[in-house]
Amino acid sequence: MMKMIIKDAAKTYLADNVQPETVLLLTLDDGSNQYSTLGGSCAIGDKFQFVALTQPDPKYSIPVENDAGLNLWTNADTELYLNNGLILDRVFNQLSLRDDTGILDSAVGMITYTAEEKSDLDLKKEMQTLGTRIC
């Protein structure tokens, strides 16, 4: 089972921004999934985000054990970029994710959805603005 240590500063931030019943996903933010808002070759494997959902997403079936009591999940695509010793911290007002190899992302994003999935309209709007953020 994948395990993540969550430092006190990150716990405080998550407690303030994530409802207790939330399903939280740790996923890539590189254009490879429906939750990603960034994309391009420079983002592959080094951009991560947390996605807060009201219901589980069956595409994210790998539990991430954590010491903050979060209902945290990831998928095989994201797991490829994660190693042992996962630690989440809050540094300079940003969530920072690292593992035994070093810093993975010093600015982990956080997005919230109240619906099971994004609507087609939401996706269209994002794709129209995505061009300004693709590297």
Side-chain angles (χ1 to χ4, degrees):
M1 175 180 276
M2 185 176 295
K3 185 175 181 177
M4 176 187 293
I5 294 171
I6 301 177
K7 299 286 191 171
D8 288 342
K11 282 180 187 174
T12 299
Y13 174 82
L14 292 170
D16 290 344
N17 291 282
V18 176
Q19 298 298 316
E21 67 280 357
T22 297
V23 175
L24 198 60
L25 308 180
L26 173 60
T27 186
L28 294 165
D29 192 9
D30 62 2
S32 66
N33 61 73
Q34 76 266 29
Y35 302 111
S36 181
T37 57
L38 298 175
S41 60
C42 67
I44 295 173
D46 74 346
K47 300 283 187 217
F48 294 87
Q49 67 181 346
F50 287 102
V51 178
L53 301 175
T54 57
Q55 297 179 359
D57 182 334
K59 295 176 193 163
Y60 291 81
S61 59
I62 299 170
V64 181
E65 182 182 325
N66 63 86
D67 57 348
L70 299 169
N71 186 8
L72 183 56
W73 300 83
T74 194
N75 65 4
D77 293 339
T78 304
E79 187 180 37
L80 288 172
Y81 297 97
L82 304 171
N83 292 299
N84 291 326
L86 278 178
I87 296 174
L88 183 71
D89 202 352
R90 184 137 168 97
V91 180
F92 301 118
N93 292 321
Q94 304 264 355
L95 289 174
S96 177
L97 182 65
R98 68 180 189 259
D99 65 14
D100 289 343
T101 66
I103 294 175
L104 300 173
D105 188 349
S106 61
V108 177
M110 169 74 82
I111 56 175
T112 302
Y113 293 105
T114 54
E116 215 174 312
E117 295 180 324
K118 292 183 188 180
S119 71
D120 289 339
L121 181 59
D122 290 337
L123 289 172
K124 182 178 178 182
K125 286 178 187 175
E126 282 185 8
M127 293 313 258
Q128 289 171 341
T129 59
L130 189 61
T132 61
R133 297 186 292 197
I134 293 179
C135 51

